[in-house]
Amino acid sequence: MKNIEHKGFRKNEIILDGIRYLLGNGYFGYRGTLSEYTKAEMVALNLNGIYDQMGELWRESINAFNPLYTIVRVRDTELNPTKIKPVSHVQGIRIEDGVFYRETVFSIKDHQIKISSERFADQKQRQLLYERYVIKSDSNLKVDLYTGIDLDVYNLSGKHLEILDQVDEADFFFVKARTKQLGLPVVVGETTTRNFDAKGEVLNQNNKLLRHYSIQMEAESEYIIEKFTGVCHTRFDSYEHLDMLVTKAQKLGYLRKFTENKAFWREKWDISGIEVIGDDDAELGINYSIYQLISSRPYSDRVSIPARGLSGQVYKGAVFWDTEMFMLPFFLNTDLESARHIVMYRIIGLKGAKSKAEAYGFKGAFYAWESQEDGYEACSDYNITDALTGEPVRTYFREKQIHINGAIVNALGRYVERSGDIDILFLGGLEMAIECSKFYLDYLTYNRDTKLYEALQVIGPDEYHELVDNNAYTNYLIDFVFDKTIELIELAREENPGKIAQFIKDKDYQAEIQKIRQMRQKVYLPGPDDTNVIEQFSGYFELEDITLADLKKRIKHPNEYLGGKDGVATPTKIIKQADVVTLLALLPEKFTKVVKKANFNYYEPKTEHGSSLSASMHALLACDIGKPNYAYEHFMSSALIDLNGKAKQFAGGIYIGGTHLAACGGAYLALIYGFCGLKHHNYVLSADTRLTSKIKEVRFKILNKNRLAAIKVTGTTANITWENGK
Ligand code: IFM
């Protein structure tokens, strides 16, 4: 597997490189920054599942203190490429074993000094993070090395940690803090093992807790520090626990940890890796996407995968429909434990979803558009700022993107189908599906003329057009939820009739289930018109028909938000992202080829692809209708989105950069289900060949009911071989 790296120092890419070379393990993400960087370069140790709000600012995930801070000085000069021009610089990530590396050579007077380092996140003891840092000079030289914890962290919306104590114990530093809003413990720890004898002098300066080593270097000798660091939060014994973990890791030693890490990734890649023969860029892009998905996998039922992974606080570190619709399939195919966490996170979030429904005057469960811990809704009414004026823009994402419930029930259904884990239905799964249906029952409006139920004033995936009636995607998903809920009840009944009867009685669901049954086939499902096109929402066809190029001429600011009340796209047919196309791509069995073709051709030129979720849906549908060469471009733009850094960085005045996990998951969908035509028929698999001329062959594996299937698709054949064993 190829490394992802660049040669030469590029100051203007620091923020994007922080995303590109991200390390993570689901507990935290550590941005791909250099050890000498600070908050100015957006260093972040971003945590999953713990949030804080400062005053009226947005509630967001926490960035912990940085335990990998290290600088070297030669007299008064800091060896830092942002301060002195390096002779050479290489920085990259080895996705094969999840290792970040850098090598920088500086020249000072007659001395050439090389700094090289590598780091990785522990994938088993997920609180831990290690770094090996090496300095070497071509001549004898005295240097000062400072290493420790940087307490001055980067935040998007205010400071979240109150420092309680700074512990300096033998060679260990611990910083104990608590979150400001909820008082949850967050502890960061650090220690080093060194191959030199200098005595460390403790310094507490500029918000940094450091040890200073004065080293008299001999020419061509390596001076090495191995850092054993970590972060632990929420547990009442976070400090003791972290102390134990870091101490143990240090005793085992860097090499042992490094070997364990290699073994973890080898095993992961064995199941998850994809070979794309004949197209190196596609192979790199898809495996990089998979690397990001694995690095973000949830570590417990209380967390899921945020839209921007663990690359920072963008989108508040919250979980969107992206996880269920775009990312879950990868985990269903390779890692059922993580898939189960994703579903359980929503089951645990039912309480939050019920309060949200109640707050809006509805029955049942209305899931958060931007979900934080326990399903807490983090989306605010003013979710965007105007790029020109800086004024907050009223958006209705929070209260009108009701399709989120559909994604969640869809995920539950797929998880149960693929895992056979019927127990989850009795552990809250059924209740979640019924409560989601209950919300829809209450939300829908009866149309006396058509005698059908309609979803009025909603927002579909295309967020530019707000408060629209009968968004096709939303209506079909509502219908799907009613069907799936009944199907899951029947499945649970087959498994344990006594238990389901008791459950329905205890929850008093009899009447509700009856209503859900009656509603099937009574939801208005916008059908294809004479030209086979499905109208995205009622009245969409009457909007101004304009080309994307002409619309762009109306834009006054490069970061201008195009949707909402005053957006330039709002009165037009230009849409932000795949909407009807998403419906056809994700529920392909419901529509004919003719309809799919007509809608693809109609909506493709009208789609701005302003969201990273869009391209993969177009790729998936394009493969389905026999346009793989067309699909290729969209597939590549999803797979390479974080490598080429071309994604939108701003929505209005709001920074939205970071890893795009939905695009990563979407690229996987496009390759496996699009180009390779994979289909699940209960526990049977079929594949097809729809490869683009650019790709000669694709090989991948699918974990299916504890059996591994190896799939090989060439330009003319599709082969599935079952492996015994796991
Ligand atoms: O969930 C998406 C949404 O569909 C478009 N805006 C960004 C969100 C997070 O990725």
Side-chain angles (χ1 to χ4, degrees):
M1 223 170 265
K2 270 218 251 159
N3 295 352
I4 289 154
E5 66 169 36
H6 72 270
K7 293 196 169 72
F9 180 66
R10 40 188 207 192
K11 199 167 183 175
N12 54 358
E13 291 274 308
I14 288 178
I15 304 303
L16 287 174
D17 286 340
I19 298 162
R20 261 179 210 123
Y21 306 131
L22 183 84
L23 292 178
N25 58 16
Y27 191 79
F28 64 75
Y30 189 88
R31 287 171 65 96
T33 45
L34 304 183
S35 311
E36 54 270 30
Y37 286 178
T38 63
K39 71 175 185 185
E41 288 83 20
M42 256 172 151
V43 174
L45 172 57
N46 180 249
L47 305 180
N48 196 5
I50 176 167
Y51 301 88
D52 185 73
Q53 182 166 27
M54 197 178 141
E56 294 297 297
L57 297 174
W58 282 354
R59 195 170 188 271
E60 64 188 10
S61 58
I62 306 270
N63 283 339
F65 310 119
N66 172 22
L68 295 187
Y69 181 75
T70 302
I71 58 162
V72 173
R73 282 209 183 111
V74 177
R75 283 179 285 276
D76 284 338
T77 308
E78 184 180 317
L79 302 188
N80 179 338
T82 64
K83 301 193 172 160
I84 53 165
K85 197 168 181 274
V87 175
S88 65
H89 178 73
V90 181
Q91 183 176 344
I93 196 152
R94 261 194 335 253
I95 60 170
E96 188 185 316
D97 55 2
V99 172
F100 166 95
Y101 58 90
R102 64 83 64 95
E103 189 181 289
T104 317
V105 177
F106 297 94
S107 174
I108 295 193
K109 301 249 162 80
D110 299 332
H111 311 283
Q112 285 238 326
I113 309 122
K114 183 166 85 184
I115 292 182
S116 34
S117 71
E118 61 179 25
R119 68 170 81 117
F120 60 94
D122 197 316
Q123 300 293 340
K124 297 255 161 80
Q125 293 299 344
R126 298 208 216 173
Q127 291 89 346
L128 301 179
L129 170 67
Y130 314 108
E131 180 164 275
R132 188 168 192 271
Y133 186 97
V134 184
I135 337 168
K136 192 171 153 183
S137 167
D138 64 351
S139 44
N140 292 353
L141 180 70
K142 181 180 164 291
V143 299
D144 292 294
L145 179 136
Y146 303 79
T147 191
I149 305 178
D150 186 355
L151 309 182
D152 195 11
V153 299
Y154 169 80
N155 279 304
L156 270 178
S157 303
K159 282 201 166 181
H160 300 298
L161 295 176
E162 180 192 348
I163 297 176
L164 301 175
D165 197 7
Q166 301 181 20
V167 184
D168 165 22
E169 267 171 12
D171 248 344
F172 286 73
F173 281 141
F174 287 96
V175 181
K176 299 185 193 173
R178 68 170 164 231
T179 59
K180 292 202 174 152
Q181 189 190 15
L182 299 177
L184 297 171
V186 176
V187 181
V188 172
E190 183 256 14
T191 188
T192 59
T193 300
R194 305 166 298 276
N195 78 338
F196 53 89
D197 264 346
K199 191 160 165 34
E201 167 208 6
V202 175
L203 295 176
N204 200 335
Q205 51 183 223
N206 300 333
N207 251 325
K208 293 173 182 54
L209 186 55
L210 303 172
R211 269 174 231 284
H212 165 217
Y213 300 95
S214 187
I215 313 171
Q216 189 57 58
M217 293 173 69
E218 281 178 23
E220 301 302 342
S221 293
E222 289 193 326
Y223 293 79
I224 305 171
I225 54 170
E226 290 166 348
K227 291 189 63 123
F228 299 85
T229 77
V231 57
C232 188
H233 63 84
T234 310
R235 304 169 55 126
F236 74 93
D237 63 346
S238 290
Y239 166 58
E240 291 76 10
H241 190 64
L242 185 63
D243 189 357
M244 182 271 291
L245 290 177
V246 177
T247 308
K248 215 167 140 191
Q250 189 184 32
K251 279 205 180 113
L252 288 173
Y254 185 84
L255 191 62
R256 170 83 178 264
K257 283 283 151 194
F258 192 80
T259 313
E260 278 176 20
N261 179 57
K262 265 192 172 313
F264 167 86
W265 282 100
R266 199 177 312 119
E267 211 176 290
K268 272 282 168 212
W269 285 120
D270 186 38
I271 296 184
S272 318
I274 302 185
E275 282 176 76
V276 184
I277 296 155
D279 190 334
D280 290 352
D281 289 348
E283 184 169 90
L284 183 77
I286 191 63
N287 287 303
Y288 179 74
S289 301
I290 289 171
Y291 162 79
Q292 290 294 358
L293 288 164
I294 296 173
S295 303
S296 314
R297 72 199 185 283
Y299 61 90
S300 90
D301 290 347
R302 304 208 73 90
V303 295
S304 183
I305 308 181
R308 289 289 181 266
L310 298 169
S311 60
Q313 295 156 319
V314 165
Y315 285 140
K316 303 157 192 139
V319 180
F320 291 65
W321 68 307
D322 308 28
T323 313
E324 283 74 16
M325 291 311 229
F326 293 75
M327 305 175 211
L328 180 68
F330 166 75
F331 294 103
L332 289 175
N333 287 343
T334 60
D335 171 7
L336 275 181
E337 190 184 324
S338 299
R340 191 173 198 275
H341 288 324
I342 289 172
V343 177
M344 283 304 296
Y345 166 79
R346 294 300 193 173
I347 292 178
I348 288 174
L350 184 58
K351 207 165 141 236
K354 280 174 147 180
S355 332
K356 179 175 167 187
E358 201 185 339
Y360 283 109
F362 292 108
K363 294 184 188 145
F366 180 9
Y367 272 87
W369 180 240
E370 299 184 4
S371 178
Q372 297 184 339
E373 77 277 45
D374 299 323
Y376 176 83
E377 172 66 274
C379 187
S380 72
D381 286 344
Y382 293 84
N383 222 29
I384 283 177
T385 58
D386 187 303
L388 287 164
T389 63
E391 286 299 308
V393 177
R394 175 72 162 108
T395 57
Y396 292 85
F397 305 161
R398 171 193 167 109
E399 60 193 275
K400 294 298 178 185
Q401 295 222 39
I402 65 169
H403 65 81
I404 176 68
N405 276 15
I408 288 165
V409 175
N410 183 288
L412 173 69
R414 277 182 298 154
Y415 169 73
V416 170
E417 195 180 301
R418 295 292 308 286
S419 65
D421 177 6
I422 310 274
D423 281 355
I424 203 167
L425 296 176
F426 295 108
L427 293 173
L430 270 190
E431 187 178 349
M432 176 171 82
I434 294 170
E435 293 295 334
C436 283
S437 295
K438 225 164 124 178
F439 169 77
Y440 283 151
L441 286 175
D442 204 21
Y443 191 93
L444 293 175
T445 303
Y446 186 62
N447 182 325
R448 287 189 193 181
D449 299 333
T450 60
K451 301 198 172 28
L452 292 170
Y453 287 84
E454 302 187 341
L456 306 179
Q457 301 268 291
V458 300
I459 305 182
D462 159 32
E463 293 172 330
Y464 285 166
H465 296 93
E466 298 190 315
L467 307 176
V468 299
D469 294 343
N470 293 314
N471 164 252
Y473 175 87
T474 305
N475 285 23
Y476 276 90
L477 261 266
I478 293 174
D479 179 62
F480 169 90
V481 166
F482 291 148
D483 273 352
K484 193 47 83 182
T485 303
I486 298 301
E487 199 185 294
L488 292 173
I489 293 170
E490 294 315 326
L491 191 67
R493 201 189 304 282
E494 271 169 36
E495 180 74 11
N496 195 332
K499 203 166 173 181
I500 188 80
Q502 193 60 44
F503 162 78
I504 293 172
K505 191 161 165 248
D506 291 350
K507 295 274 173 192
D508 202 12
Y509 276 150
Q510 197 58 56
E512 225 67 56
I513 293 173
Q514 194 56 26
K515 272 196 228 155
I516 300 172
R517 279 188 204 284
Q518 285 162 1
M519 284 297 276
R520 296 167 86 186
Q521 267 126 53
K522 290 207 182 125
V523 179
Y524 166 56
L525 300 177
D529 70 357
D530 301 346
T531 59
N532 285 310
V533 176
I534 297 174
E535 189 174 30
Q536 187 177 296
F537 53 81
S538 309
Y540 173 84
F541 285 153
E542 275 84 66
L543 296 177
E544 182 189 349
D545 217 349
I546 183 174
T547 65
L548 192 52
D550 282 342
L551 184 99
K552 285 190 173 161
K553 291 182 195 149
R554 297 180 185 173
I555 295 176
K556 294 191 196 76
H557 187 285
N559 298 335
E560 187 171 322
Y561 183 61
L562 310 188
K565 190 166 142 278
D566 301 318
V568 291
T570 308
T572 77
K573 286 187 181 146
I574 297 298
I575 63 175
K576 177 183 181 187
Q577 67 196 83
D579 194 304
V580 173
V581 167
T582 301
L583 169 66
L584 307 182
L586 293 181
L587 298 178
E589 62 292 338
K590 287 201 181 286
F591 304 92
T592 63
K593 277 256 151 63
V594 176
V595 168
K596 288 177 190 169
K597 274 187 189 158
N599 283 279
F600 181 86
N601 293 337
Y602 182 82
Y603 285 108
E604 172 72 10
K606 297 178 172 54
T607 309
E608 185 216 354
H609 298 298
S611 156
S612 59
L613 277 61
S614 194
S616 62
M617 293 298 107
H618 281 247
L620 204 48
L621 190 61
C623 287
D624 198 2
I625 58 172
K627 289 189 167 187
N629 289 337
Y630 204 103
Y632 181 76
E633 203 184 304
H634 285 312
F635 159 68
M636 289 299 270
S637 87
S638 289
L640 298 176
I641 190 165
D642 293 322
L643 290 178
N644 64 24
K646 281 193 190 146
K648 257 193 191 176
Q649 297 295 306
F650 284 88
I654 301 293
Y655 173 62
I656 55 166
T659 44
H660 296 79
L661 270 291
C664 297
Y668 178 82
L669 293 175
L671 186 59
I672 301 305
Y673 296 99
F675 294 120
C676 299
L678 187 77
K679 285 203 171 79
H680 304 274
H681 317 267
N682 286 322
Y683 296 129
V684 177
L685 291 176
S686 66
D688 196 354
T689 171
R690 303 141 153 194
L691 294 190
T692 126
S693 49
K694 300 239 164 62
I695 299 176
K696 285 203 170 60
E697 189 176 314
V698 182
R699 291 174 188 230
F700 60 98
K701 289 180 184 162
I702 297 283
L703 200 53
N704 206 37
K705 188 71 176 156
N706 295 328
R707 292 182 69 206
L708 207 51
I711 294 119
K712 182 174 124 183
V713 174
T714 69
T716 49
T717 61
N719 244 286
I720 302 180
T721 317
W722 291 94
E723 289 180 0
N724 289 328
K726 294 186 249 180

